[in-house]
Amino acid sequence: MTRPTVLFVCVHNAGRSQMAAGFLQHLAGDRVDVLSAGSAPADQINPTAIEAMAEVGIDIAGEQPKVLTTESVQASDVVITMGCGDACPFYPGKRYEDWKLDDPAGQGIEAVRPIRDEIRSRVEALIASLG
């Protein structure tokens, strides 16, 4: 079987989707191809998201927000959206999930930690569902 490709999408591709991609890469390794993008990408990754991930040993500091393209959606088996709503293109035959998560933008580390931990538990469930 080929490796599944998972695309995480949020508006700015600076917090939630980057943390989710970091967890999936870390926990699944080379069993899954991981993409992330935003419908309106920010200039840089949220520094508090970087700090929160560093606390659990995952470095996302080298990542850059990327723009969501139809090609990235078409290349993906699973598309996880996080608050981007209608900005995310829909293609039949893809598995879609919408994760309702608070946006870490502008939040302090105390507020971002529970978001990070919720993302980790959802990524662990996602990995289990991928087999």
Side-chain angles (χ1 to χ4, degrees), residues 67-84:
V67 69
L68 177 64
T69 64
T70 54
E71 293 79 19
S72 62
V73 176
Q74 289 172 324
S76 300
D77 300 297
V78 181
V79 179
I80 309 287
T81 58
M82 303 173 183
C84 66

Side-chain angles (χ1 to χ4, degrees), residues 3 9 11 13 19-20 30 34 36 40 45 52 55 57 59 67-69 75 81 93 100 113 117 122 124:
R3 291 190 302 208
V9 183
V11 175
N13 190 221
M19 289 192 287
D30 61 3
V34 182
S36 72
I45 304 289
E55 289 180 348
D59 181 9
V67 69
L68 177 64
T69 64
T81 58
K100 304 268 188 253
R113 285 183 184 123
D117 296 343
R122 289 177 187 230
E124 288 170 343

